[in-house]
Amino acid sequence: MRETTVGTTRLRLVQGDITRIASDAIVNAANEELWPGGGVSGAIHRAGGMIIEDECRRIGHTPTGQAAITTGGRLPARYVIHAVGPIWKGGSAGEPELLASAYRSSLRLADEHGLKSIAFPSISTGIYGYPIEPAAKVAIETVIDYLRNETGLADVAFVLFSDGDLATYETVLDVVVQVFPA
Ligand code: ADP
């Protein structure tokens, strides 16, 4: 499935380029130094402009599993939440917990800023090498779990860059919703 409701929040899966999404915040798959780098981070910094990089430099080091918030610069989104996911090291170096923590920290920051909508990329599954299926499971379970508690978020989206990633997230969402009905 591509859409479900958890409590009062709509959870959606879409295919696309996250830099074009006009939600209150988009999430960046950042590194600990909050440097632009490649992948989705490079695209966000290119589209958003130097103001994001300047703010990132002021924030500085952000540990894996945590997140920081900056303006959206020239992006259609008002804010960028820079979430640091883990580098995949085989799966027994705490990767699932760190990935879950990156999603939770982002959602918490969004709520702390009173935001209503947030869009996530598939954190850690590009350059950081986290296999897509287990990453999708952590992402979807963590977000659903968070939304079961009090939140002001009305709309949460996963914006998957490829059709293949979207298909994987759809399959995982089907399974998670069957096992833990919303
Ligand atoms: P990480 O270093 O956390 O693995 P990457 O940016 O390398 O981050 O990849 C994370 C995911 O973001 C990958 O699935 C990649 O295909 C995807 N991605 C890359 N560019 C974009 C974009 N413009 N919009 C949405 N997702 C993107």
Side-chain angles (χ1 to χ4, degrees), residues 16-19 29 38-41 43 121-129 159 161 165:
D17 175 354
I18 202 164
T19 65
V40 70
S41 178
S122 180
I123 298 172
S124 284
T125 63
I127 298 160
Y128 278 8
V159 180
F161 206 41
D165 286 356

